[in-house]
Amino acid sequence: QVQLVESGGGSVQAGGSLRLSCAASEVSRGYCMGWFRQAPGKEREEVAIIHTGGGVTQYADAVKGRFTISQDNAKKTLELQMDTLKPEDTAMYYCAAYERPFGGLATMCLPDPARYNYWGQGTQVTVSS
């Protein structure tokens, strides 16, 4: 049973940085993992996703060039480095995963949150102006 536990959220001023971490148990090379966020009154949206086998990453346009997703295979964690934060980045951030067999280095993941069947409890990120 996959279990995901996020940490690292907090409050920061605009222009600052935060690093989120997701401890992932029972996740092997055949998974898509990602960070999603949900602001009050808005739908949950993709932030960044990665396939654990090939390492292909995908980013939402709103965060390209500012956020970096990575995986630490030794620690079994998924990381999200968030730089140049903006007030519109304020949201609850979730780590999520679904099983997708590794089909080669170009294996990509789907950005639709509905595809992800494993979710963490979320960590709050607040960016003040």
Side-chain angles (χ1 to χ4, degrees):
Q1 179 76 10
V2 172
Q3 292 188 323
L4 306 171
V5 180
E6 303 97 335
S7 61
S11 297
V12 66
Q13 288 193 325
S17 298
L18 283 173
R19 188 176 183 88
L20 304 183
S21 184
C22 173
S25 64
E26 307 300 327
V27 172
S28 63
R29 296 181 76 220
Y31 281 83
C32 285
M33 294 194 71
W35 290 97
F36 295 80
R37 66 186 182 188
Q38 188 167 18
K42 294 188 176 182
E43 293 187 352
R44 192 168 296 188
E45 62 179 7
E46 171 212 14
V47 175
I49 54 181
I50 187 170
H51 192 279
T52 59
V56 174
T57 58
Q58 297 159 240
Y59 295 90
D61 289 341
V63 307
K64 281 181 182 176
R66 299 189 297 121
F67 290 12
T68 303
I69 189 171
S70 62
Q71 52 181 344
D72 186 323
N73 293 327
K75 296 180 180 179
K76 293 186 182 297
T77 59
L78 182 72
E79 311 284 328
L80 184 69
Q81 177 65 39
M82 304 187 293
D83 298 317
T84 319
L85 282 160
K86 303 176 181 180
E88 50 264 44
D89 294 318
T90 295
M92 185 72 78
Y93 282 70
Y94 297 91
C95 176
Y98 76 93
E99 194 167 2
R100 181 172 176 86
F102 180 50
L105 293 177
T107 302
M108 296 183 71
C109 300
L110 297 171
D112 182 0
R115 285 283 186 169
Y116 292 72
N117 52 346
Y118 300 104
W119 291 87
Q121 82 287 353
T123 186
Q124 179 68 37
V125 171
T126 303
V127 184
S128 57
S129 57

